[in-house]
Amino acid sequence: MNINIYYGGRGLLDDPTLYVLNKIQEVLEELRVTVKRYNLFEQKHEIATLPQTLKEADGIVLATTIEWYGIGGYMQQFLDACWLYGDKEKIATLYMQPIVMSTTYGEREGRLTLSNAWEMLGGMPCEGLCGYVDDLVHFELNKDYTDIIEKKAENLYRSISQKVKWLPTSNQAVKKTVLRTQPIELTPQESEQLSKYVSDDDYVKKQKEDIEELAHLFKGLMKQEKVDTEMEYIMSLEKHFVPQEDFKASYLFMIEEKKKPLIIEVNDGDLNCYYGHEEEVDVITKLKADVLENILTGRMTFQRAFMTGEMTAKGNFKTLRMLDKIFVFNEL
């Protein structure tokens, strides 16, 4: 029989969970069980690959210490990795015993969290052990406490060897009917390879750099496309400009899709078009980009756009009517 122990504490000398795990390991080894312990704090950069170590196990122990609140980051990362990269068929056959010791409040909630998480993963949680330890020396010297720990280890061995069955729980029903997170459909080999990539800091860093480079590239393309569209308006106006003698006017076009308005300044034979802000203009118009495009392609005149309400305007209406004279677009 093979049992893996996953310890999610920080490895402090006064951590009561370490004492409990040592006692459990002694009992299991006396029962000729092969025990492997994984200290998550020592393998924090390889946590994503640890679900692959479940393959050879018949049962596991998830142990952590409540120092402030919750089961701790290392254990949570390990459970996340089991959800993302673990072999769900293998997990479904694994018995898990939660061990949660506390130097503050919350050991029962921590044990319940581990049990619920393992059920959500599809595994089979056994009766666990939790307790509050104020004085570690007193805890270690108390024979009654030691007997309780040893019996819990024996119960784990008995559950695995006898393949104890459990009644169905609502956590399993929730997983099947309510949980919307879609697992990654990968073969066990692909999951193992992916978990190795995730734990490789250099690989992850390179991927992030590639993503940032692509993001900058697409932003540049989008910005260039926007600039090209804006220049098309100006180029079309300049191309179809018909100078009028003794005519001077300024127009401001507020295009809904553009952040800055389009300014058109006419001075006899000179035309100046640019995007910006100008307070002193003769005519202010407001229209959508597709309406302006229809005008520039000859499908509609400025006068018609104004009469149909697709373009609104205020200012000197005589100057407004001159738009169709100073800009002549051929109809398609």
Side-chain angles (χ1 to χ4, degrees):
M1 183 184 297
N2 298 315
I3 294 180
N4 292 351
I5 297 176
Y6 299 91
Y7 167 64
R10 294 190 295 157
L12 302 178
L13 292 176
D14 58 348
D15 188 345
T17 305
L18 292 175
Y19 170 75
V20 175
L21 290 180
N22 290 335
K23 284 297 179 183
I24 289 177
Q25 187 168 347
E26 288 177 9
V27 173
L28 292 175
E29 288 177 347
E30 288 176 1
L31 295 171
R32 297 183 179 180
V33 175
T34 301
V35 180
K36 291 183 180 180
R37 186 186 297 191
Y38 297 91
N39 295 324
L40 301 184
F41 71 93
E42 293 178 348
Q43 298 177 280
K44 57 185 177 182
H45 297 299
E46 303 170 2
I47 290 179
T49 64
L50 290 182
Q52 308 308 320
T53 61
L54 299 172
K55 292 181 178 180
E56 305 300 326
D58 300 300
I60 68 170
V61 174
L62 296 182
T64 190
T65 305
I66 306 293
E67 296 184 35
W68 173 66
Y69 181 81
I71 60 175
Y74 295 137
M75 183 58 68
Q76 186 63 57
Q77 287 182 50
F78 175 71
L79 292 172
D80 289 343
C82 289
W83 172 253
L84 293 172
Y85 313 117
D87 185 346
K88 302 303 187 298
E89 293 182 1
K90 176 59 181 178
I91 291 176
T93 66
L94 286 178
Y95 292 85
M96 185 279 294
Q97 184 177 64
I99 304 294
V100 180
M101 305 305 294
S102 171
T103 57
T104 179
Y105 173 81
E107 69 279 358
R108 293 182 180 179
E109 289 78 2
R111 182 186 63 179
L112 183 61
T113 297
L114 293 179
S115 296
N116 288 341
W118 197 248
E119 283 186 342
M120 295 290 283
L121 287 168
M124 297 176 288
C126 302
E127 183 180 358
L129 175 67
C130 67
Y132 167 75
V133 178
D134 184 29
D135 186 341
L136 181 59
V137 176
H138 173 72
F139 179 74
E140 292 179 355
L141 296 177
N142 191 306
K143 189 177 183 303
D144 292 334
Y145 295 161
T146 302
D147 291 340
I148 293 173
I149 296 170
E150 291 176 350
K151 287 181 180 179
K152 292 295 182 181
E154 293 170 358
N155 289 340
L156 174 61
Y157 176 82
R158 192 176 299 111
S159 297
I160 298 174
S161 60
Q162 296 179 1
K163 298 188 182 299
V164 175
K165 300 297 181 182
W166 308 97
L167 292 175
T169 65
S170 59
N171 282 339
Q172 296 170 346
V174 167
K175 177 185 176 183
K176 294 178 181 179
T177 60
V178 178
L179 199 60
R180 298 300 182 189
T181 303
Q182 296 296 325
I184 302 175
E185 297 294 339
L186 299 173
T187 64
Q189 293 79 10
E190 290 172 334
S191 296
E192 183 175 358
Q193 189 66 35
L194 180 59
S195 65
K196 290 180 180 178
Y197 285 142
V198 171
S199 63
D200 188 340
D201 290 341
D202 292 335
Y203 177 81
V204 173
K205 183 178 179 181
K206 183 65 169 60
Q207 290 297 304
K208 288 181 178 179
E209 291 175 353
D210 291 343
I211 292 173
E212 290 178 359
E213 184 178 349
L214 287 173
H216 286 305
L217 176 62
F218 283 116
K219 284 181 180 178
L221 291 174
M222 293 175 65
K223 185 176 181 180
Q224 183 62 41
E225 182 179 356
K226 181 179 178 181
V227 172
D228 291 344
T229 303
E230 293 176 348
M231 288 305 300
E232 284 180 6
Y233 294 162
I234 295 176
M235 291 173 63
S236 181
L237 290 169
E238 292 175 345
K239 181 179 179 181
H240 297 88
F241 175 60
V242 179
Q244 303 291 320
E245 292 185 4
D246 299 326
F247 179 72
K248 181 179 180 181
S250 58
Y251 301 86
L252 185 148
F253 285 83
M254 298 178 63
I255 307 170
E256 290 188 9
E257 292 81 358
K258 305 297 181 183
K259 292 183 179 180
K260 293 183 179 181
L262 174 61
I263 308 297
I264 299 176
E265 296 176 345
V266 180
N267 188 1
D268 293 334
D270 297 329
L271 174 66
N272 184 25
C273 301
Y274 60 92
Y275 289 90
H277 297 279
E278 186 66 44
E279 295 182 0
E280 299 295 331
V281 293
D282 298 311
V283 178
I284 298 176
T285 67
K286 184 177 181 181
L287 72 171
K288 294 183 178 180
D290 58 347
V291 176
L292 180 59
E293 290 172 3
N294 286 336
I295 295 173
L296 298 181
T297 54
R299 296 189 181 95
M300 181 183 294
T301 62
F302 286 104
Q303 183 67 19
R304 182 181 175 187
F306 175 69
M307 296 300 293
T308 57
E310 295 183 74
M311 180 181 76
T312 59
K314 64 179 181 179
N316 190 321
F317 286 94
K318 182 179 179 181
T319 304
L320 174 64
R321 288 194 293 270
M322 287 295 295
L323 281 170
D324 288 321
K325 291 185 178 181
I326 59 178
F327 297 107
V328 179
F329 303 96
N330 296 325
E331 293 188 2
L332 297 178

